[in-house]
Each structure stands twice: as C-alpha cells, then as structure tokens.
C-alpha cells in the first residue's frame, strides 16, 4: 500500500483529505512518520503495532533494563565511573551503536555488510558486533584501541556485548531511538544501579547523542563539547543520583543549543 492509502485507512479519511492535512503540518503525521510504513500497514490491517508492543514489554520489565544497564555501563568508564579519554575506543563504540540503530530502526545496511546481512531490521546486536569487528579495521583492532594506555578491562566489557540476547536486542533497538535516554532516566530515577554504573550510562548516552547529532565534527571536538574537563570532574566527584541526573540534563541542553 502507498503512504496515503495506509494513513487514510488508519485515520479513516479520504485521499484528498490526507493531502490537505499533510500540507497543514498537522502533528499526527509527524507521529506516524516515526514508524516504518510497513509497520503502519500491519497496524492498519491488524490493529497491532510492533514498536508499541516492544515498548510495553520494555516498560514493564525491570529485569531487562537492569541486565542491559549492567552490560553497557562500563564501556567508556572505569570501574569507578571515571571517563576514559581514548578517541579510538569512543569512535568504535559510538559507531557500533549508531550502526545498530540505523540498521534496526531504519533498515540501513552499511556497504561493508550488504553482501552478508539478509534483513538489517532483524539483526541481533551480538551479530552486528561480530560483523563490526571483522570489517571495522584491517589492522590489529585491539592494538589500536589500546593506545593511550586503555585499561585491560575495556576489552572484557567490549566482549561482554556478545552476551546481549535477541530479546535485549529488541529493547536496545527501541532505546537507541532515544539515544539510551530512556534507560538512563529510568536507572537514575529508580536507583536501579550503583552510582558508578549510572555514570557510565550517562557518559555513553551523551557521547552517542553528540556523535549522532554532530557527525561532521572530529571525535576530539565532540569530547570537548560533551564532556569538558569541568563536567568530567563534576561527574567523577558526585555520589548523588539526582546531581548526576541534573548534570546529564544540562549537557543535553548544551548539545541541543550547540552550533559549530
């Protein structure tokens, strides 16, 4: 079905009315445009929306949130929550997560994978991670990431991503639409994890947002925008979830208002 047919069936309007309303920028169309057309077509025919089903499961599943937060929180911070300034490592992790979001939520297959991946919207996170490792670097990836004296545990945490299950991949795909913000907000507001784990999630979420929003900037510049020295110091010093959440919100505001 064409877009006007699907939207018309959902809203119970004629083709002519659809085109008139689209020209007026009515908000409902902005909402519908956030869903893939084939998913909306399925909703028009069955009354079920896959994305909302995933959301409902995710919203009501504390265990899944805690499991994922445990697998993600250390990627860019130490065991104490201190940020690791390694541009190669940050580029690798941000590239991996953004590629996953683009494949699962937008169906975009990177050129390196187009002869391998059958359906990008079905790929699991650990499958993508394995492909990313194979295609990302022709040299020694671990040697490259080890520059700037990255601690050995980083590689353990990277390998831990292989333990993300298919079910968790669905949750992660949903969260990546919001750059992990939903997980960060939930974890900090509910004291679901320790403070050092919360710091790791805050850092990861901020860097992913910055990398995605400012793709034309070098990683060194992105780090300076998102995590200047004074902010890193604030994050490292705080032992309060509410203070950490405040820092997080302030940095998101700075990102939104930033102009190169």
């Amino acid at each position: 079905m064409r877009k006007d047919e699907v939207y018309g069936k959902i809203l119970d309007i004629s083709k002519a009315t659809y085109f008139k309303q689209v020209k007026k920028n009515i908000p409902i169309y902005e909402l519908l445009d956030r869903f893939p057309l084939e998913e909306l077509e399925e909703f028009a025919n069955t009354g079920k929306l896959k994305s909302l089903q995933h959301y409902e499961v995710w919203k009501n599943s504390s265990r899944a949130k805690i499991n994922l937060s445990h697998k993600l929180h250390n990627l860019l911070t130490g065991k104490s929550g201190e940020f690791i300034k390694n541009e190669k490592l940050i580029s690798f992790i941000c590239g991996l997560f953004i590629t996953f979001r683009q494949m699962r939520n937008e169906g975009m297959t990177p050129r390196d994978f187009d002869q391998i991946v059958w359906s990008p919207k079905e790929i699991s996170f650990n499958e993508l991670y394995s492909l990313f490792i194979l295609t990302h670097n022709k040299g020694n990836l671990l040697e490259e990431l080890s520059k700037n004296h990255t601690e050995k545990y980083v590689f353990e945490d990277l390998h831990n991503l292989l333990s993300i299950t298919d079910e968790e991949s669905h949750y992660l795909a949903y969260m990546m639409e919001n750059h992990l913000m939903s997980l960060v907000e939930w974890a900090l507001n509910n004291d679901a994890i320790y403070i050092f784990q919360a710091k790791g999630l805050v850092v990861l979420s901020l860097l992913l947002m910055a990398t995605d929003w400012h793709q034309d900037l070098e990683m060194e510049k992105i780090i300076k925008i998102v995590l200047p020295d004074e902010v890193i110091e604030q994050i490292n010093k705080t032992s309060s979830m509410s203070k950490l959440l405040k820092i997080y919100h302030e940095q998101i505001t700075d990102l939104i208002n930033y102009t190169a």
Side-chain angles (χ1 to χ4, degrees), residues 31 35 65 89 124 140 144 157 162 164 175-176 180:
L31 174 63
F35 297 94
K65 295 178 186 178
L89 176 65
S124 68
N140 188 326
E144 182 177 324
D157 293 325
L162 289 171
I164 292 178
M175 286 191 302
M176 286 303 295
L180 294 183

Side-chain angles (χ1 to χ4, degrees), residues 13-217:
I13 57 176
S14 67
K15 182 177 178 180
T17 302
Y18 164 78
F19 285 109
K20 285 180 182 178
Q21 291 183 348
V22 166
K23 289 180 180 179
K24 293 181 180 179
N25 295 319
I26 294 177
I28 187 63
Y29 293 103
E30 294 182 16
L31 174 63
L32 292 176
D33 284 344
R34 294 182 64 85
F35 297 94
L37 185 59
E38 60 268 24
E39 193 171 332
L40 290 177
E41 184 175 353
E42 182 181 357
F43 174 71
N45 294 325
T46 67
K48 296 179 180 179
L49 196 57
K50 188 184 299 183
S51 297
L52 293 184
Q53 288 176 316
H54 289 322
Y55 170 73
E56 288 298 327
V57 173
W58 169 253
K59 185 176 69 173
N60 296 310
S61 176
S62 295
R63 178 181 295 179
K65 295 178 186 178
I66 293 172
N67 286 346
L68 262 183
S69 65
H70 284 171
K71 293 175 182 180
L72 301 179
H73 77 270
N74 275 338
L75 291 173
L76 294 171
T77 61
K79 300 303 182 185
S80 63
E82 294 187 1
F83 172 53
I84 302 169
K85 286 189 175 180
N86 183 325
E87 292 173 23
K88 295 290 186 181
L89 176 65
I90 295 168
S91 295
F92 176 82
I93 291 174
C94 289
L96 173 64
F97 276 82
I98 290 171
T99 299
F100 179 69
R101 178 182 64 78
Q102 290 174 334
M103 292 182 73
R104 285 298 298 260
N105 298 329
E106 302 171 26
M108 296 171 57
T109 305
R111 194 180 338 177
D112 292 339
F113 306 159
D114 59 7
Q115 298 298 318
I116 306 171
V117 177
W118 176 256
S119 175
K121 291 189 176 184
E122 296 297 328
I123 194 168
S124 68
F125 188 85
N126 56 40
E127 288 171 337
L128 174 62
Y129 176 59
S130 298
L131 289 174
F132 210 77
I133 289 286
L134 290 172
T135 60
H136 182 265
N137 194 304
K138 301 302 181 185
N140 188 326
L141 178 63
L142 295 186
E143 182 179 343
E144 182 177 324
L145 297 184
S146 294
K147 292 177 182 177
N148 302 327
H149 309 289
T150 301
E151 290 84 344
K152 291 181 180 179
Y153 69 77
V154 169
F155 308 121
E156 297 174 7
D157 293 325
L158 280 173
H159 186 71
N160 192 41
L161 293 177
L162 289 171
S163 66
I164 292 178
T165 65
D166 289 350
E167 186 179 29
E168 288 169 341
S169 292
H170 293 312
Y171 300 152
L172 186 57
Y174 170 77
M175 286 191 302
M176 286 303 295
E177 275 293 304
N178 298 305
H179 312 274
L180 294 183
M181 286 177 64
S182 59
L183 179 61
V184 174
E185 296 278 353
W186 177 85
L188 272 64
N189 280 316
N190 291 279
D191 289 329
I193 53 179
Y194 294 110
I195 185 69
F196 73 91
Q197 297 172 323
K199 291 177 182 180
L201 283 178
V202 163
V203 168
L204 178 61
S205 179
L206 287 172
L207 281 165
L208 281 168
M209 277 188 279
T211 306
D212 203 14
W213 293 353
H214 303 292
Q215 296 179 19
D216 56 329
L217 297 181

Side-chain angles (χ1 to χ4, degrees), residues 76-78 80-87 90 195-196 199-200 202-204 206-207 219-239 243-244 247-248 250-251 254:
L76 294 171
T77 61
S80 63
E82 294 187 1
F83 172 53
I84 302 169
K85 286 189 175 180
N86 183 325
E87 292 173 23
I90 295 168
I195 185 69
F196 73 91
K199 291 177 182 180
V202 163
V203 168
L204 178 61
L206 287 172
L207 281 165
M219 187 56 64
E220 182 180 1
K221 178 70 172 177
I222 285 176
I223 295 172
K224 287 181 179 178
I225 295 168
V226 128
L227 291 167
D229 291 341
E230 61 270 21
V231 172
I232 294 174
E233 186 176 359
Q234 290 174 16
I235 291 175
N236 287 340
K237 283 185 176 180
T238 188
S239 58
K243 178 64 180 300
L244 183 60
I247 295 170
Y248 180 61
E250 288 173 349
Q251 290 309 106
D254 287 348

